[in-house]
PDB file of all heavy atoms in Angstrom:
ATOM      1  N   SER A   2      19.070   8.896   0.649  1.00 94.00           N
ATOM      2  CA  SER A   2      17.959   9.507   1.032  1.00 94.00           C
ATOM      3  C   SER A   2      17.093   9.517  -0.345  1.00 94.00           C
ATOM      4  O   SER A   2      17.593   9.527  -1.429  1.00 94.00           O
ATOM      5  CB  SER A   2      18.037  10.928   1.442  1.00 94.00           C
ATOM      6  OG  SER A   2      18.664  11.810   0.542  1.00 94.00           O
ATOM      7  N   GLU A   3      15.750   9.724  -0.054  1.00 92.00           N
ATOM      8  CA  GLU A   3      14.752   9.800  -1.264  1.00 92.00           C
ATOM      9  C   GLU A   3      13.844  10.973  -0.827  1.00 92.00           C
ATOM     10  O   GLU A   3      13.486  10.999   0.384  1.00 92.00           O
ATOM     11  CB  GLU A   3      14.070   8.548  -1.399  1.00 92.00           C
ATOM     12  CG  GLU A   3      14.813   7.466  -1.974  1.00 92.00           C
ATOM     13  CD  GLU A   3      13.881   6.389  -2.361  1.00 92.00           C
ATOM     14  OE1 GLU A   3      13.520   5.499  -1.591  1.00 92.00           O
ATOM     15  OE2 GLU A   3      13.425   6.158  -3.572  1.00 92.00           O
ATOM     16  N   LYS A   4      13.377  11.808  -1.724  1.00 91.00           N
ATOM     17  CA  LYS A   4      12.477  12.874  -1.550  1.00 91.00           C
ATOM     18  C   LYS A   4      11.156  12.769  -2.231  1.00 91.00           C
ATOM     19  O   LYS A   4      10.199  13.282  -1.739  1.00 91.00           O
ATOM     20  CB  LYS A   4      13.140  14.189  -1.892  1.00 91.00           C
ATOM     21  CG  LYS A   4      14.379  14.505  -1.068  1.00 91.00           C
ATOM     22  CD  LYS A   4      15.009  15.855  -1.403  1.00 91.00           C
ATOM     23  CE  LYS A   4      16.079  16.263  -0.567  1.00 91.00           C
ATOM     24  NZ  LYS A   4      16.579  17.705  -0.898  1.00 91.00           N
ATOM     25  N   ASP A   5      11.119  12.084  -3.282  1.00 84.00           N
ATOM     26  CA  ASP A   5       9.837  11.997  -4.142  1.00 84.00           C
ATOM     27  C   ASP A   5       9.065  10.831  -3.732  1.00 84.00           C
ATOM     28  O   ASP A   5       8.708   9.932  -4.572  1.00 84.00           O
ATOM     29  CB  ASP A   5      10.247  12.007  -5.625  1.00 84.00           C
ATOM     30  CG  ASP A   5       9.189  12.612  -6.530  1.00 84.00           C
ATOM     31  OD1 ASP A   5       8.384  13.195  -5.923  1.00 84.00           O
ATOM     32  OD2 ASP A   5       9.332  12.661  -7.766  1.00 84.00           O
ATOM     33  N   LEU A   6       8.536  10.774  -2.611  1.00 90.00           N
ATOM     34  CA  LEU A   6       7.757   9.844  -2.071  1.00 90.00           C
ATOM     35  C   LEU A   6       6.255  10.214  -1.602  1.00 90.00           C
ATOM     36  O   LEU A   6       6.143  11.454  -1.382  1.00 90.00           O
ATOM     37  CB  LEU A   6       8.436   9.080  -0.857  1.00 90.00           C
ATOM     38  CG  LEU A   6       9.783   8.645  -0.943  1.00 90.00           C
ATOM     39  CD1 LEU A   6      10.388   8.231   0.287  1.00 90.00           C
ATOM     40  CD2 LEU A   6      10.012   7.568  -1.969  1.00 90.00           C
ATOM     41  N   PHE A   7       5.318   9.375  -1.578  1.00 88.00           N
ATOM     42  CA  PHE A   7       4.134   9.524  -0.828  1.00 88.00           C
ATOM     43  C   PHE A   7       3.705   8.202  -0.200  1.00 88.00           C
ATOM     44  O   PHE A   7       4.083   7.217  -0.394  1.00 88.00           O
ATOM     45  CB  PHE A   7       3.077  10.199  -1.703  1.00 88.00           C
ATOM     46  CG  PHE A   7       2.689   9.336  -2.890  1.00 88.00           C
ATOM     47  CD1 PHE A   7       1.682   8.465  -2.799  1.00 88.00           C
ATOM     48  CD2 PHE A   7       3.383   9.485  -3.998  1.00 88.00           C
ATOM     49  CE1 PHE A   7       1.212   7.562  -3.887  1.00 88.00           C
ATOM     50  CE2 PHE A   7       3.005   8.735  -5.278  1.00 88.00           C
ATOM     51  CZ  PHE A   7       1.962   7.740  -5.085  1.00 88.00           C
ATOM     52  N   LEU A   8       2.914   8.430   0.838  1.00 89.00           N
ATOM     53  CA  LEU A   8       2.382   7.431   1.648  1.00 89.00           C
ATOM     54  C   LEU A   8       0.876   7.080   1.319  1.00 89.00           C
ATOM     55  O   LEU A   8       0.049   7.985   1.251  1.00 89.00           O
ATOM     56  CB  LEU A   8       2.507   7.685   3.092  1.00 89.00           C
ATOM     57  CG  LEU A   8       2.115   6.741   4.229  1.00 89.00           C
ATOM     58  CD1 LEU A   8       3.027   5.469   4.167  1.00 89.00           C
ATOM     59  CD2 LEU A   8       2.246   7.292   5.622  1.00 89.00           C
ATOM     60  N   LEU A   9       0.669   5.870   1.032  1.00 89.00           N
ATOM     61  CA  LEU A   9      -0.694   5.380   0.849  1.00 89.00           C
ATOM     62  C   LEU A   9      -1.147   4.631   2.029  1.00 89.00           C
ATOM     63  O   LEU A   9      -0.472   3.765   2.460  1.00 89.00           O
ATOM     64  CB  LEU A   9      -0.752   4.359  -0.444  1.00 89.00           C
ATOM     65  CG  LEU A   9      -2.115   3.877  -0.753  1.00 89.00           C
ATOM     66  CD1 LEU A   9      -2.014   3.563  -2.352  1.00 89.00           C
ATOM     67  CD2 LEU A   9      -2.618   2.717  -0.042  1.00 89.00           C
ATOM     68  N   ASP A  10      -2.210   5.019   2.670  1.00 89.00           N
ATOM     69  CA  ASP A  10      -2.914   4.565   3.901  1.00 89.00           C
ATOM     70  C   ASP A  10      -4.136   4.098   3.684  1.00 89.00           C
ATOM     71  O   ASP A  10      -5.073   5.014   3.366  1.00 89.00           O
ATOM     72  CB  ASP A  10      -2.608   5.635   4.951  1.00 89.00           C
ATOM     73  CG  ASP A  10      -3.030   5.127   6.286  1.00 89.00           C
ATOM     74  OD1 ASP A  10      -3.271   3.921   6.410  1.00 89.00           O
ATOM     75  OD2 ASP A  10      -2.823   5.798   7.294  1.00 89.00           O
ATOM     76  N   ALA A  11      -4.561   2.792   3.844  1.00 88.00           N
ATOM     77  CA  ALA A  11      -5.746   2.206   3.614  1.00 88.00           C
ATOM     78  C   ALA A  11      -6.358   1.772   4.981  1.00 88.00           C
ATOM     79  O   ALA A  11      -5.760   0.962   5.526  1.00 88.00           O
ATOM     80  CB  ALA A  11      -5.846   1.201   2.491  1.00 88.00           C
ATOM     81  N   ALA A  12      -7.451   2.287   5.354  1.00 84.00           N
ATOM     82  CA  ALA A  12      -8.024   1.786   6.652  1.00 84.00           C
ATOM     83  C   ALA A  12      -8.517   0.340   6.656  1.00 84.00           C
ATOM     84  O   ALA A  12      -8.572  -0.363   7.521  1.00 84.00           O
ATOM     85  CB  ALA A  12      -9.174   2.709   7.090  1.00 84.00           C
ATOM     86  N   SER A  13      -8.821  -0.134   5.427  1.00 82.00           N
ATOM     87  CA  SER A  13      -9.313  -1.561   5.249  1.00 82.00           C
ATOM     88  C   SER A  13      -9.208  -2.015   3.908  1.00 82.00           C
ATOM     89  O   SER A  13      -8.747  -1.152   2.965  1.00 82.00           O
ATOM     90  CB  SER A  13     -10.841  -1.697   5.750  1.00 82.00           C
ATOM     91  OG  SER A  13     -11.644  -0.851   4.959  1.00 82.00           O
ATOM     92  N   GLY A  14      -9.486  -3.165   3.500  1.00 84.00           N
ATOM     93  CA  GLY A  14      -9.488  -3.608   2.066  1.00 84.00           C
ATOM     94  C   GLY A  14      -8.135  -3.728   1.579  1.00 84.00           C
ATOM     95  O   GLY A  14      -7.995  -3.442   0.333  1.00 84.00           O
ATOM     96  N   ALA A  15      -7.234  -4.238   2.246  1.00 86.00           N
ATOM     97  CA  ALA A  15      -5.788  -4.288   1.835  1.00 86.00           C
ATOM     98  C   ALA A  15      -5.839  -5.067   0.535  1.00 86.00           C
ATOM     99  O   ALA A  15      -4.901  -4.690  -0.456  1.00 86.00           O
ATOM    100  CB  ALA A  15      -4.887  -4.944   2.847  1.00 86.00           C
ATOM    101  N   ASP A  16      -6.269  -6.272   0.431  1.00 88.00           N
ATOM    102  CA  ASP A  16      -6.292  -7.149  -0.712  1.00 88.00           C
ATOM    103  C   ASP A  16      -6.868  -6.349  -1.933  1.00 88.00           C
ATOM    104  O   ASP A  16      -6.292  -6.433  -3.131  1.00 88.00           O
ATOM    105  CB  ASP A  16      -6.922  -8.384  -0.562  1.00 88.00           C
ATOM    106  CG  ASP A  16      -6.765  -9.318  -1.682  1.00 88.00           C
ATOM    107  OD1 ASP A  16      -5.519  -9.727  -1.849  1.00 88.00           O
ATOM    108  OD2 ASP A  16      -7.626  -9.716  -2.439  1.00 88.00           O
ATOM    109  N   ALA A  17      -7.941  -5.728  -1.813  1.00 90.00           N
ATOM    110  CA  ALA A  17      -8.502  -4.917  -2.964  1.00 90.00           C
ATOM    111  C   ALA A  17      -7.607  -3.851  -3.513  1.00 90.00           C
ATOM    112  O   ALA A  17      -7.612  -3.528  -4.701  1.00 90.00           O
ATOM    113  CB  ALA A  17      -9.834  -4.427  -2.568  1.00 90.00           C
ATOM    114  N   VAL A  18      -7.019  -3.199  -2.503  1.00 90.00           N
ATOM    115  CA  VAL A  18      -5.982  -2.070  -2.818  1.00 90.00           C
ATOM    116  C   VAL A  18      -4.848  -2.615  -3.611  1.00 90.00           C
ATOM    117  O   VAL A  18      -4.478  -1.987  -4.581  1.00 90.00           O
ATOM    118  CB  VAL A  18      -5.557  -1.305  -1.535  1.00 90.00           C
ATOM    119  CG1 VAL A  18      -4.535  -0.185  -1.881  1.00 90.00           C
ATOM    120  CG2 VAL A  18      -6.745  -0.606  -0.928  1.00 90.00           C
ATOM    121  N   LEU A  19      -4.246  -3.624  -3.134  1.00 90.00           N
ATOM    122  CA  LEU A  19      -3.088  -4.338  -3.848  1.00 90.00           C
ATOM    123  C   LEU A  19      -3.522  -4.773  -5.120  1.00 90.00           C
ATOM    124  O   LEU A  19      -2.687  -4.735  -6.147  1.00 90.00           O
ATOM    125  CB  LEU A  19      -2.729  -5.414  -3.073  1.00 90.00           C
ATOM    126  CG  LEU A  19      -1.968  -5.148  -1.664  1.00 90.00           C
ATOM    127  CD1 LEU A  19      -1.520  -6.353  -0.725  1.00 90.00           C
ATOM    128  CD2 LEU A  19      -0.796  -4.200  -1.871  1.00 90.00           C
ATOM    129  N   GLU A  20      -4.719  -5.205  -5.285  1.00 90.00           N
ATOM    130  CA  GLU A  20      -5.132  -5.784  -6.646  1.00 90.00           C
ATOM    131  C   GLU A  20      -5.241  -4.620  -7.636  1.00 90.00           C
ATOM    132  O   GLU A  20      -4.885  -4.643  -8.829  1.00 90.00           O
ATOM    133  CB  GLU A  20      -6.606  -6.390  -6.527  1.00 90.00           C
ATOM    134  CG  GLU A  20      -7.081  -6.945  -7.917  1.00 90.00           C
ATOM    135  CD  GLU A  20      -8.491  -7.541  -7.613  1.00 90.00           C
ATOM    136  OE1 GLU A  20      -9.053  -7.461  -6.584  1.00 90.00           O
ATOM    137  OE2 GLU A  20      -8.913  -8.156  -8.738  1.00 90.00           O
ATOM    138  N   LEU A  21      -5.604  -3.489  -7.247  1.00 90.00           N
ATOM    139  CA  LEU A  21      -5.830  -2.253  -8.035  1.00 90.00           C
ATOM    140  C   LEU A  21      -4.332  -1.801  -8.492  1.00 90.00           C
ATOM    141  O   LEU A  21      -4.111  -1.400  -9.498  1.00 90.00           O
ATOM    142  CB  LEU A  21      -6.452  -1.163  -7.402  1.00 90.00           C
ATOM    143  CG  LEU A  21      -6.462   0.229  -8.093  1.00 90.00           C
ATOM    144  CD1 LEU A  21      -7.288  -0.091  -9.429  1.00 90.00           C
ATOM    145  CD2 LEU A  21      -7.257   1.218  -7.284  1.00 90.00           C
ATOM    146  N   LEU A  22      -3.459  -1.833  -7.459  1.00 89.00           N
ATOM    147  CA  LEU A  22      -2.021  -1.452  -7.613  1.00 89.00           C
ATOM    148  C   LEU A  22      -1.401  -2.311  -8.655  1.00 89.00           C
ATOM    149  O   LEU A  22      -0.684  -1.768  -9.579  1.00 89.00           O
ATOM    150  CB  LEU A  22      -1.203  -1.386  -6.443  1.00 89.00           C
ATOM    151  CG  LEU A  22      -1.655  -0.333  -5.270  1.00 89.00           C
ATOM    152  CD1 LEU A  22      -0.788  -0.552  -4.034  1.00 89.00           C
ATOM    153  CD2 LEU A  22      -1.708   1.096  -5.864  1.00 89.00           C
ATOM    154  N   ASP A  23      -1.668  -3.611  -8.610  1.00 88.00           N
ATOM    155  CA  ASP A  23      -1.065  -4.514  -9.720  1.00 88.00           C
ATOM    156  C   ASP A  23      -1.805  -4.087 -11.054  1.00 88.00           C
ATOM    157  O   ASP A  23      -1.056  -4.236 -12.127  1.00 88.00           O
ATOM    158  CB  ASP A  23      -1.573  -5.957  -9.269  1.00 88.00           C
ATOM    159  CG  ASP A  23      -0.525  -6.642  -8.409  1.00 88.00           C
ATOM    160  OD1 ASP A  23       0.736  -6.251  -8.576  1.00 88.00           O
ATOM    161  OD2 ASP A  23      -0.811  -7.689  -7.826  1.00 88.00           O
ATOM    162  N   GLU A  24      -3.009  -3.849 -11.035  1.00 86.00           N
ATOM    163  CA  GLU A  24      -3.701  -3.506 -12.297  1.00 86.00           C
ATOM    164  C   GLU A  24      -3.018  -2.350 -12.948  1.00 86.00           C
ATOM    165  O   GLU A  24      -2.954  -2.152 -14.245  1.00 86.00           O
ATOM    166  CB  GLU A  24      -5.234  -3.256 -12.120  1.00 86.00           C
ATOM    167  CG  GLU A  24      -6.054  -2.827 -13.188  1.00 86.00           C
ATOM    168  CD  GLU A  24      -7.472  -2.391 -12.784  1.00 86.00           C
ATOM    169  OE1 GLU A  24      -8.007  -3.055 -11.843  1.00 86.00           O
ATOM    170  OE2 GLU A  24      -7.934  -1.483 -13.492  1.00 86.00           O
ATOM    171  N   LEU A  25      -2.630  -1.331 -12.064  1.00 84.00           N
ATOM    172  CA  LEU A  25      -1.971  -0.089 -12.654  1.00 84.00           C
ATOM    173  C   LEU A  25      -0.527  -0.252 -12.677  1.00 84.00           C
ATOM    174  O   LEU A  25       0.153   0.709 -13.014  1.00 84.00           O
ATOM    175  CB  LEU A  25      -2.508   1.086 -11.699  1.00 84.00           C
ATOM    176  CG  LEU A  25      -3.958   1.381 -11.644  1.00 84.00           C
ATOM    177  CD1 LEU A  25      -4.164   2.550 -10.765  1.00 84.00           C
ATOM    178  CD2 LEU A  25      -4.571   1.781 -13.097  1.00 84.00           C
ATOM    179  N   SER A  26       0.075  -1.335 -12.362  1.00 80.00           N
ATOM    180  CA  SER A  26       1.518  -1.546 -12.312  1.00 80.00           C
ATOM    181  C   SER A  26       2.211  -0.611 -11.487  1.00 80.00           C
ATOM    182  O   SER A  26       3.305   0.006 -11.879  1.00 80.00           O
ATOM    183  CB  SER A  26       2.068  -1.462 -13.849  1.00 80.00           C
ATOM    184  OG  SER A  26       1.414  -2.475 -14.624  1.00 80.00           O
ATOM    185  N   VAL A  27       1.686  -0.285 -10.324  1.00 84.00           N
ATOM    186  CA  VAL A  27       2.299   0.447  -9.210  1.00 84.00           C
ATOM    187  C   VAL A  27       3.020  -0.384  -8.174  1.00 84.00           C
ATOM    188  O   VAL A  27       2.426  -1.215  -7.507  1.00 84.00           O
ATOM    189  CB  VAL A  27       1.236   1.394  -8.601  1.00 84.00           C
ATOM    190  CG1 VAL A  27       1.866   2.180  -7.457  1.00 84.00           C
ATOM    191  CG2 VAL A  27       0.584   2.222  -9.585  1.00 84.00           C
ATOM    192  N   VAL A  28       4.302  -0.094  -8.013  1.00 81.00           N
ATOM    193  CA  VAL A  28       5.010  -1.014  -7.101  1.00 81.00           C
ATOM    194  C   VAL A  28       5.484  -0.128  -5.850  1.00 81.00           C
ATOM    195  O   VAL A  28       5.955   0.922  -5.937  1.00 81.00           O
ATOM    196  CB  VAL A  28       6.376  -1.544  -7.703  1.00 81.00           C
ATOM    197  CG1 VAL A  28       7.065  -2.301  -6.685  1.00 81.00           C
ATOM    198  CG2 VAL A  28       6.018  -2.483  -8.863  1.00 81.00           C
ATOM    199  N   GLY A  29       5.182  -0.684  -4.692  1.00 79.00           N
ATOM    200  CA  GLY A  29       5.483  -0.030  -3.431  1.00 79.00           C
ATOM    201  C   GLY A  29       6.858  -0.405  -2.898  1.00 79.00           C
ATOM    202  O   GLY A  29       7.474  -1.360  -3.296  1.00 79.00           O
ATOM    203  N   LYS A  30       7.366   0.498  -2.154  1.00 78.00           N
ATOM    204  CA  LYS A  30       8.828   0.367  -1.649  1.00 78.00           C
ATOM    205  C   LYS A  30       8.839  -0.244  -0.324  1.00 78.00           C
ATOM    206  O   LYS A  30       9.623  -1.183   0.053  1.00 78.00           O
ATOM    207  CB  LYS A  30       9.543   1.702  -1.595  1.00 78.00           C
ATOM    208  CG  LYS A  30       9.730   2.290  -2.960  1.00 78.00           C
ATOM    209  CD  LYS A  30      10.629   3.611  -2.752  1.00 78.00           C
ATOM    210  CE  LYS A  30      11.951   3.300  -2.266  1.00 78.00           C
ATOM    211  NZ  LYS A  30      12.998   2.583  -3.256  1.00 78.00           N
ATOM    212  N   GLN A  31       7.940   0.166   0.540  1.00 74.00           N
ATOM    213  CA  GLN A  31       7.852  -0.422   1.953  1.00 74.00           C
ATOM    214  C   GLN A  31       6.267  -0.593   2.189  1.00 74.00           C
ATOM    215  O   GLN A  31       5.562   0.115   1.798  1.00 74.00           O
ATOM    216  CB  GLN A  31       8.275   0.482   3.007  1.00 74.00           C
ATOM    217  CG  GLN A  31       9.823   0.941   2.819  1.00 74.00           C
ATOM    218  CD  GLN A  31      10.236   2.010   3.885  1.00 74.00           C
ATOM    219  OE1 GLN A  31       9.710   2.184   4.768  1.00 74.00           O
ATOM    220  NE2 GLN A  31      11.334   2.737   3.346  1.00 74.00           N
ATOM    221  N   LEU A  32       6.058  -1.829   2.842  1.00 76.00           N
ATOM    222  CA  LEU A  32       4.709  -2.389   2.908  1.00 76.00           C
ATOM    223  C   LEU A  32       4.529  -2.827   4.151  1.00 76.00           C
ATOM    224  O   LEU A  32       5.210  -3.552   4.840  1.00 76.00           O
ATOM    225  CB  LEU A  32       4.405  -3.356   1.755  1.00 76.00           C
ATOM    226  CG  LEU A  32       3.091  -4.147   1.810  1.00 76.00           C
ATOM    227  CD1 LEU A  32       1.909  -3.362   1.711  1.00 76.00           C
ATOM    228  CD2 LEU A  32       3.123  -5.374   0.951  1.00 76.00           C
ATOM    229  N   HIS A  33       3.316  -2.416   4.923  1.00 73.00           N
ATOM    230  CA  HIS A  33       2.822  -2.971   6.073  1.00 73.00           C
ATOM    231  C   HIS A  33       1.341  -3.243   6.163  1.00 73.00           C
ATOM    232  O   HIS A  33       0.513  -2.453   5.798  1.00 73.00           O
ATOM    233  CB  HIS A  33       3.160  -2.026   7.285  1.00 73.00           C
ATOM    234  CG  HIS A  33       2.522  -2.569   8.504  1.00 73.00           C
ATOM    235  ND1 HIS A  33       3.172  -3.588   9.319  1.00 73.00           N
ATOM    236  CD2 HIS A  33       1.424  -2.175   9.267  1.00 73.00           C
ATOM    237  CE1 HIS A  33       2.432  -3.722  10.436  1.00 73.00           C
ATOM    238  NE2 HIS A  33       1.359  -2.937  10.451  1.00 73.00           N
ATOM    239  N   VAL A  34       1.014  -4.608   6.268  1.00 73.00           N
ATOM    240  CA  VAL A  34      -0.330  -4.985   6.249  1.00 73.00           C
ATOM    241  C   VAL A  34      -0.724  -5.468   7.685  1.00 73.00           C
ATOM    242  O   VAL A  34      -0.044  -6.382   8.177  1.00 73.00           O
ATOM    243  CB  VAL A  34      -0.589  -6.074   5.357  1.00 73.00           C
ATOM    244  CG1 VAL A  34      -2.196  -6.502   5.588  1.00 73.00           C
ATOM    245  CG2 VAL A  34      -0.441  -5.613   3.954  1.00 73.00           C
ATOM    246  N   ALA A  35      -1.720  -4.895   8.387  1.00 67.00           N
ATOM    247  CA  ALA A  35      -2.191  -5.282   9.678  1.00 67.00           C
ATOM    248  C   ALA A  35      -3.123  -6.675   9.534  1.00 67.00           C
ATOM    249  O   ALA A  35      -4.083  -6.516   8.683  1.00 67.00           O
ATOM    250  CB  ALA A  35      -2.773  -4.297  10.501  1.00 67.00           C
ATOM    251  N   THR A  36      -2.788  -7.794  10.143  1.00 68.00           N
ATOM    252  CA  THR A  36      -3.740  -8.884   9.984  1.00 68.00           C
ATOM    253  C   THR A  36      -4.435  -9.184  11.257  1.00 68.00           C
ATOM    254  O   THR A  36      -5.200 -10.129  11.253  1.00 68.00           O
ATOM    255  CB  THR A  36      -2.791 -10.040   9.690  1.00 68.00           C
ATOM    256  OG1 THR A  36      -1.847 -10.315  10.580  1.00 68.00           O
ATOM    257  CG2 THR A  36      -2.140  -9.951   8.259  1.00 68.00           C
ATOM    258  N   SER A  37      -4.202  -8.498  12.311  1.00 60.00           N
ATOM    259  CA  SER A  37      -4.931  -8.738  13.682  1.00 60.00           C
ATOM    260  C   SER A  37      -5.194  -7.405  14.261  1.00 60.00           C
ATOM    261  O   SER A  37      -4.632  -6.438  14.008  1.00 60.00           O
ATOM    262  CB  SER A  37      -4.246  -9.708  14.522  1.00 60.00           C
ATOM    263  OG  SER A  37      -2.955  -9.142  14.857  1.00 60.00           O
ATOM    264  N   GLY A  38      -6.060  -7.475  15.376  1.00 62.00           N
ATOM    265  CA  GLY A  38      -6.341  -6.140  16.173  1.00 62.00           C
ATOM    266  C   GLY A  38      -7.324  -5.368  15.499  1.00 62.00           C
ATOM    267  O   GLY A  38      -7.958  -5.669  14.527  1.00 62.00           O
ATOM    268  N   ASP A  39      -7.473  -4.086  16.079  1.00 62.00           N
ATOM    269  CA  ASP A  39      -8.436  -3.194  15.513  1.00 62.00           C
ATOM    270  C   ASP A  39      -8.220  -2.762  14.046  1.00 62.00           C
ATOM    271  O   ASP A  39      -9.152  -2.473  13.321  1.00 62.00           O
ATOM    272  CB  ASP A  39      -8.505  -2.131  16.438  1.00 62.00           C
ATOM    273  CG  ASP A  39      -9.091  -2.359  17.797  1.00 62.00           C
ATOM    274  OD1 ASP A  39      -9.793  -3.279  18.028  1.00 62.00           O
ATOM    275  OD2 ASP A  39      -8.901  -1.460  18.818  1.00 62.00           O
ATOM    276  N   GLY A  40      -6.897  -2.824  13.680  1.00 60.00           N
ATOM    277  CA  GLY A  40      -6.555  -2.354  12.347  1.00 60.00           C
ATOM    278  C   GLY A  40      -6.503  -3.554  11.326  1.00 60.00           C
ATOM    279  O   GLY A  40      -5.850  -3.343  10.372  1.00 60.00           O
ATOM    280  N   ALA A  41      -7.034  -4.654  11.691  1.00 67.00           N
ATOM    281  CA  ALA A  41      -6.929  -5.757  10.842  1.00 67.00           C
ATOM    282  C   ALA A  41      -7.327  -5.471   9.379  1.00 67.00           C
ATOM    283  O   ALA A  41      -8.332  -4.715   9.104  1.00 67.00           O
ATOM    284  CB  ALA A  41      -7.808  -6.840  11.296  1.00 67.00           C
ATOM    285  N   ASN A  42      -6.483  -5.878   8.383  1.00 76.00           N
ATOM    286  CA  ASN A  42      -6.619  -5.701   6.972  1.00 76.00           C
ATOM    287  C   ASN A  42      -6.495  -4.349   6.485  1.00 76.00           C
ATOM    288  O   ASN A  42      -6.830  -3.947   5.360  1.00 76.00           O
ATOM    289  CB  ASN A  42      -8.139  -6.208   6.542  1.00 76.00           C
ATOM    290  CG  ASN A  42      -8.096  -6.548   4.998  1.00 76.00           C
ATOM    291  OD1 ASN A  42      -7.138  -6.979   4.523  1.00 76.00           O
ATOM    292  ND2 ASN A  42      -9.240  -6.419   4.369  1.00 76.00           N
TER     293      ASN A  42
END
């Protein structure tokens, strides 16, 4: 188990968010990007 977690939820602009995370050297543990439907990107 892990306890010290938080969830980042972006409604859009997935690539821009990931670019910022790279800039700040932040690595995610589990990642889901929607590429189709109403929640695309």
Side-chain angles (χ1 to χ4, degrees):
S2 66
E3 287 185 282
K4 292 184 177 181
D5 211 6
L6 305 174
F7 58 92
L8 180 66
L9 184 154
D10 192 355
S13 61
D16 187 67
V18 174
L19 293 175
E20 182 180 6
L21 177 62
L22 294 179
D23 270 339
E24 178 187 324
L25 299 178
S26 299
V27 177
V28 179
K30 294 182 66 67
Q31 297 171 27
L32 169 67
H33 174 74
V34 178
T36 58
S37 62
D39 293 338
N42 205 30

